[in-house]
């Protein structure tokens, strides 16, 4: 499939930052309260140390008149809205004053000369482009009527950029469950579904890694509770739970037989929330060793999802273990996953929460990684 010059440049930029250690994905929709706002050409994420994450956006324009000055203003505003650490533009505009204007606004520029040199060094044909990925999905003519596979992944990417980390993780787990379910009954499209499943798992890893950043220096018990509450109630810092308590109190004090009704409502809600199995995710990733694997596993899963050849998926032990935990979390069979079909790992025991997460606590200074996972320009 021939790719037009705009998307081709986006693929080149994505590949460059991926080689620099970033988790880099293309065509990420940004939305607000259900309204589509804009698309991010390339979204970047890096786990620089155990306690430091970097998020960046790249605006890529390969046009005869790229209007680079206007793009600097645009990407600067989007950086502020998304609360990203860096903003970058990749442009074919050769205006000599562009770099100065960008520098004064703390925007990095990938110039035409730099992009031309990248084009000679990086082979973007080594993996599927997002256009080729979607074209493969469209081989199933009923994919839109079957829940719209492309939109499911697009919405998951959007959550990563638009929502809080735990909310984005829950969204990714819904997508993971969606594709896992279909792998059991759509065997004729197993290749496409496997790609979608791995992509959803990759996005889930990044969302969860971002959520764990603020819990880095806490002990295992606090991390366990933080992850459990975050998955159960979302990124609300306890506000959702407080709202529930206020609602129960209002029913108790202002409705006939209110205390009984409030007690019953609270019990029913707690029963429903307990089905989420957030304790499973909390227990596994409260262990620092497991949490540290999320970023590298995300990059690995993304590469496998977009690999030219996907018949045999060779995954690391860490990535297989994470896929298994995700499968247990959403209650799907491990045997349908790549870990079972291609690597004979279906026999791995399902992870079950333990009762004493505090035994896994480690000192804060032991959590800092010795080497950077990524670097900025």
């Amino acid at each position: 499939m021939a790719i037009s010059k705009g998307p081709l440049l986006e693929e080149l930029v994505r590949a460059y930052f991926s080689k620099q250690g970033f988790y880099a994905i293309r065509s990420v929709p940004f939305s607000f309260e259900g309204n589509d706002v804009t698309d991010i050409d390339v979204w970047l994420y890096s786990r620089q140390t155990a306690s430091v994450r970097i998020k960046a956006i790249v605006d890529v324009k390969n046009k005869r008149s790229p209007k680079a000055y206007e793009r600097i203003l645009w990407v600067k505003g989007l950086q502020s809205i998304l609360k990203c650490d860096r903003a970058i533009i990749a442009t074919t505009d050769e205006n000599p004053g562009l770099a100065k204007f960008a520098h004064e606004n703390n925007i990095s520029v990938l110039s035409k000369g730099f992009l031309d040199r990248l084009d000679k060094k990086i082979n973007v044909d080594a993996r599927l482009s997002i256009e080729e990925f979607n074209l493969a999905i469209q081989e199933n003519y009923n994919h839109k009527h079957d829940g719209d596979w492309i939109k499911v992944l697009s919405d998951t990417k959007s959550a990563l950029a638009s929502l809080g980390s735990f909310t984005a993780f829950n969204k990714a787990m819904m997508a993971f469950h969606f594709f896992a379910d279909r792998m059991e009954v759509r065997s004729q499209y197993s290749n496409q579904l496997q790609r979608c499943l791995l992509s959803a798992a990759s996005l889930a890893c990044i969302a969860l890694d971002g959520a764990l950043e603020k819990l880095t220096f806490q002990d295992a018990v606090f991390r366990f509770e933080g992850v459990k509450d975050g998955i159960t109630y979302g990124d609300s810092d306890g506000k959702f739970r407080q709202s529930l308590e206020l609602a129960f109190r209002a029913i108790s004090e202002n409705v006939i037989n209110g205390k009984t009704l409030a007690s019953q409502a609270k019990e029913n809600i707690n029963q429903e929330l307990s089905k989420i199995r957030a304790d499973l995710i909390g227990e596994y990733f409260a262990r620092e060793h497991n949490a540290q694997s999320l970023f590298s596993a995300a990059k690995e899963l993304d590469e496998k999802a977009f690999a030219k050849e996907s018949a045999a998926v060779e995954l690391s032990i860490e990535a297989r273990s994470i896929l298994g935990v995700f499968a247990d979390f959403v209650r799907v069979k491990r045997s349908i996953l790549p870990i079972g079909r291609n690597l004979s790992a279906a026999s791995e025991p399902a992870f079950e929460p333990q009762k004493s997460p505090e035994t896994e606590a480690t000192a804060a200074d032991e959590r800092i990684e010795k080497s950077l996972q990524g670097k900025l320009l």
Side-chain angles (χ1 to χ4, degrees):
M1 174 186 177
I3 308 174
S4 58
K5 63 179 184 178
L8 190 61
L9 184 58
E10 290 180 18
E11 284 292 335
L12 180 66
V13 171
R14 189 218 63 80
Y16 166 70
F17 281 106
S18 180
K19 288 181 179 294
Q20 295 302 307
F22 284 92
Y23 179 83
I25 53 176
R26 280 187 54 211
S27 302
V28 179
F30 170 56
S31 60
F32 179 74
E33 294 184 348
N35 298 300
D36 294 332
V37 179
T38 189
D39 280 348
I40 303 166
D41 293 333
V42 181
W43 186 85
L44 306 175
Y45 178 94
S46 176
R47 187 183 198 271
Q48 298 247 305
T49 69
S51 61
V52 178
R53 311 295 191 271
I54 297 293
K55 293 180 182 178
I57 54 174
V58 188
D59 183 59
V60 183
K61 287 295 172 286
N62 185 13
K63 297 180 178 179
R64 184 171 298 177
S65 300
K67 298 181 180 179
Y69 283 96
E70 179 181 314
R71 303 313 300 177
I72 289 175
L73 296 177
W74 181 87
V75 77
K76 185 67 177 179
L78 187 59
Q79 176 192 10
S80 176
I81 292 172
L82 294 176
K83 298 178 176 60
C84 287
D85 302 283
R86 297 295 300 273
I88 304 162
I89 65 167
T91 179
T92 53
D93 194 323
E94 299 182 274
N95 190 316
L98 180 64
K100 181 180 178 181
F101 182 66
H103 177 74
E104 291 182 354
N105 289 279
N106 199 29
I107 303 294
S108 299
V109 178
L110 304 185
S111 65
K112 183 178 185 302
F114 181 79
L115 294 172
D116 288 341
R117 292 194 296 274
L118 284 185
D119 191 34
K120 297 176 182 178
K121 296 180 180 179
I122 298 177
N123 178 22
V124 296
D125 294 328
R127 79 176 232 155
L128 295 179
S129 67
I130 188 66
E131 289 78 15
E132 292 169 328
F133 186 97
N134 290 341
L135 191 63
I137 292 177
Q138 290 167 358
E139 291 179 12
N140 174 13
Y141 297 113
N142 294 318
H143 77 93
K144 279 195 174 183
H145 300 291
D146 188 26
D148 200 337
W149 297 5
I150 293 175
K151 188 175 187 303
V152 169
L153 281 179
S154 179
D155 288 347
T156 305
K157 290 194 294 185
S158 178
L160 200 59
S162 310
L163 304 175
S165 297
F166 280 119
T167 306
F169 173 77
N170 288 339
K171 187 76 173 179
M173 283 293 92
M174 291 173 62
F176 184 87
H177 192 190
F178 175 89
F179 293 117
D181 276 349
R182 279 152 181 77
M183 287 190 75
E184 291 194 89
V185 295
R186 308 279 191 274
S187 58
Q188 68 272 39
Y189 300 113
S190 60
N191 182 283
Q192 294 91 329
L193 286 166
Q194 177 176 280
R195 291 184 183 279
C196 292
L197 185 85
L198 293 174
S199 181
S202 173
L203 295 168
C205 287
I206 291 298
L208 188 55
D209 183 75
L212 289 171
E213 178 184 7
K214 61 184 178 182
L215 303 173
T216 298
F217 297 113
Q218 305 298 333
D219 61 33
V221 176
F222 192 95
R223 289 201 304 272
F224 170 77
E225 293 296 337
V227 173
K228 181 181 176 181
D229 287 351
I231 293 173
T232 302
Y233 300 105
D235 293 276
S236 58
D237 296 326
K239 292 180 180 179
F240 179 71
R241 180 182 288 181
Q242 293 174 8
S243 298
L244 285 177
E245 292 298 332
L246 287 174
F248 295 145
R249 187 183 308 167
I251 294 173
S252 178
E253 296 176 354
N254 299 289
V255 177
I256 298 175
N257 296 325
K259 289 185 178 181
T260 301
L261 292 174
S263 178
Q264 291 175 345
K266 186 174 183 178
E267 182 179 353
N268 291 336
I269 289 176
N270 287 336
Q271 286 179 353
E272 291 300 314
L273 292 176
S274 67
K275 296 178 182 178
I276 297 176
R277 303 188 78 189
D279 57 335
L280 190 151
I281 299 293
E283 170 60 24
Y284 188 81
F285 292 103
R287 305 175 184 182
E288 186 61 22
H289 172 74
N290 295 333
Q292 286 180 351
S293 301
L294 281 166
F295 181 77
S296 59
K299 284 179 63 68
E300 180 182 355
L301 292 168
D302 180 70
E303 288 301 317
K304 298 302 182 183
F306 285 83
K308 287 284 188 178
E309 300 294 333
S310 64
V313 178
E314 298 291 335
L315 294 172
S316 65
I317 294 175
E318 291 79 10
R320 297 204 311 265
S321 298
I322 288 173
L323 281 180
V325 171
F326 287 170
D328 296 342
F329 175 65
V330 299
R331 293 183 171 88
V332 297
K333 299 176 182 177
R334 288 191 175 203
S335 59
I336 68 171
L337 304 179
I339 58 173
R341 292 191 292 114
N342 295 302
L343 293 172
S344 300
S347 60
E348 293 181 4
F351 175 79
E352 293 295 339
Q354 298 179 3
K355 296 182 179 180
S356 303
E358 65 269 22
T359 60
E360 302 294 337
T362 56
D365 57 342
E366 294 178 346
R367 298 181 186 129
I368 304 298
E369 294 179 354
K370 294 181 180 180
S371 60
L372 298 180
Q373 296 249 9
K375 58 184 179 180
L376 288 171
L377 291 173

